[in-house]
Amino acid sequence: MSTPPRGRLADAYDLVIFDLDGVIYLSDKAVAGAVEAVKRLHDAGRSIAYATNNASRRASEVADLLTGLGVPAAADEVLTSAAAAARRLGDRLEPGARVLVVGAEALRQEVVEAGLTPVGSADDQPVAVVQGYGREVGWVILAEAALAVRAGALWIATNTDRTLPSPRGPLPGNGSLVAVLRTALDREPDEVIGKPQPVLFEEAVKRDAADRPIVVGDRLDTDIEGAVGAGLDSLLVLTGVSQPRDLIAAPPHQRPTYVAPDLAGLFEDVETLAIAEGGSWQVADGKLHGHGDPIAALRTIAAAAWNGTDVSTLRGADDQATSALRALGL
């Protein structure tokens, strides 16, 4: 961004691109405060997009889920890795080409819509394999995919998220299933479509002709890395996968612009949310000094770590600082 934004975060950008799992909902349940936050943006006329790596639902199904949770959403606001992967195959392959589908019915439907023919066996001689998350994915279809790729089929993965957030904790994601084939084949997929690749973000920005978009996500290795790679500002919320310790240790290509506990941060001041040293907290002589919100302390600690300060043995200078570190799990 050429000019630093000012004012409330929601007012400083003309498009908010949300991740879904871990940001808006966990499995099929809304994250606390998420519905109210998104409705406030809608009521204010803000442009919104949803970009999800989860390939188990089509855009219309995602919109229905969001609407059912109380979030007004339209299918054309949703971008999924399943649809993007199918479009990519449709661009690369001849019409009607056979594609072995590893994933949910939603991915199969996207392949059909792209003008291709989904199959379920290597014996059908598919020219490509597309792999996305599906709860029913098991050994049988993974074995067929391995045989097809060994026979020369193009291998496209919708995403490589190792885990999915859930109310019970992280669960195996598509990346874990991709790892099965990676191990069996001793190679990487030919292409990965979803975040951290920029495809979904680029589509969202193009659709809205946005000049100042921001990405909101819960994962440093997908949402935030994708935003950094696309040159976009980003807000990390701590309602999903990545947590304070992960933020502090983040490499440069996974560092968000802002951090907040949840989506209520969209309505806070930009300068308050920015990850920077200073304010009511300081790191000095191996200790955290200051007072106030633990998340404000996290912003200071992360900024200090990114600037080269060793915070691995950071201690609280007093009871309030010690309490803040404890609240952050540090």
Side-chain angles (χ1 to χ4, degrees):
M1 298 295 176
S2 56
T3 304
R6 304 176 68 87
R8 295 193 316 172
L9 192 70
D11 299 329
Y13 296 89
D14 62 356
L15 171 65
V16 182
I17 306 172
F18 288 104
D19 175 53
L20 290 173
D21 288 306
V23 175
I24 305 295
Y25 52 66
L26 288 170
S27 296
D28 294 340
K29 296 182 179 180
V31 170
V35 173
E36 294 78 9
V38 179
K39 287 179 70 174
R40 283 183 68 180
L41 292 182
H42 267 288
D43 292 345
R46 296 283 177 241
S47 293
I48 292 172
Y50 304 97
T52 177
N53 272 359
N54 192 325
S56 65
R57 295 185 180 100
R58 303 191 73 190
S60 58
E61 295 170 326
V62 172
D64 288 344
L65 172 60
L66 289 169
T67 301
L69 293 174
V71 177
D76 61 4
E77 291 179 315
V78 179
L79 300 106
T80 73
S81 62
R87 284 194 294 271
R88 182 62 56 90
L89 287 171
D91 291 339
R92 295 183 64 166
L93 304 177
E94 295 293 327
R98 297 175 181 178
V99 177
L100 193 151
V101 178
V102 181
E105 176 62 20
L107 181 56
R108 183 181 181 279
Q109 292 175 8
E110 295 291 359
V111 168
V112 171
E113 191 158 305
L116 305 170
T117 303
V119 298
S121 170
D123 293 338
D124 295 315
Q125 299 182 323
V127 296
V129 171
V130 61
Q131 183 176 7
Y133 172 75
R135 293 187 179 187
E136 305 304 319
V137 171
W139 185 89
V140 172
I141 191 63
L142 289 170
E144 294 300 320
L147 290 169
V149 173
R150 278 208 180 92
L154 178 71
W155 178 21
I156 301 290
T158 60
N159 66 296
T160 53
D161 299 31
R162 291 176 298 153
T163 60
L164 284 174
S166 84
R168 299 172 62 194
L171 303 175
N174 193 51
S176 296
L177 298 171
V178 168
V180 174
L181 288 187
R182 182 187 292 119
T183 300
L185 297 167
D186 194 25
R187 56 163 289 192
E188 297 292 325
D190 293 297
E191 187 173 3
V192 178
I193 299 298
K195 299 169 287 185
Q197 302 304 315
V199 176
L200 298 180
F201 295 154
E202 290 171 352
E203 288 189 13
V205 172
K206 183 177 180 180
R207 284 187 186 186
D208 277 84
D211 293 319
R212 205 178 186 94
I214 185 171
V215 173
V216 181
D218 71 303
R219 295 187 69 117
L220 295 170
D221 60 344
T222 56
D223 308 316
I224 305 306
E225 182 175 337
V228 173
L232 305 180
D233 283 358
S234 60
L235 168 67
L236 175 73
V237 290
L238 302 175
T239 51
V241 173
S242 296
Q243 294 301 309
R245 195 173 299 275
D246 304 313
L247 176 67
I248 292 166
H253 63 284
Q254 293 182 359
R255 293 175 181 172
T257 317
Y258 315 103
V259 63
D262 51 42
L263 291 184
L266 289 167
F267 307 99
E268 294 184 31
D269 188 79
V270 167
E271 293 183 1
T272 299
L273 297 168
I275 299 174
E277 295 188 73
S280 61
W281 294 98
Q282 297 85 38
V283 172
D285 303 320
K287 295 181 180 180
L288 175 67
H289 304 259
H291 59 87
D293 178 19
I295 300 300
L298 173 61
R299 297 183 187 107
T300 295
I301 296 167
W306 297 354
N307 287 331
T309 301
D310 181 4
V311 298
S312 61
T313 59
L314 190 66
R315 294 177 293 117
D318 54 27
D319 289 345
Q320 187 167 176
T322 299
S323 178
L325 291 172
R326 188 180 301 117
L328 296 170
L330 302 175

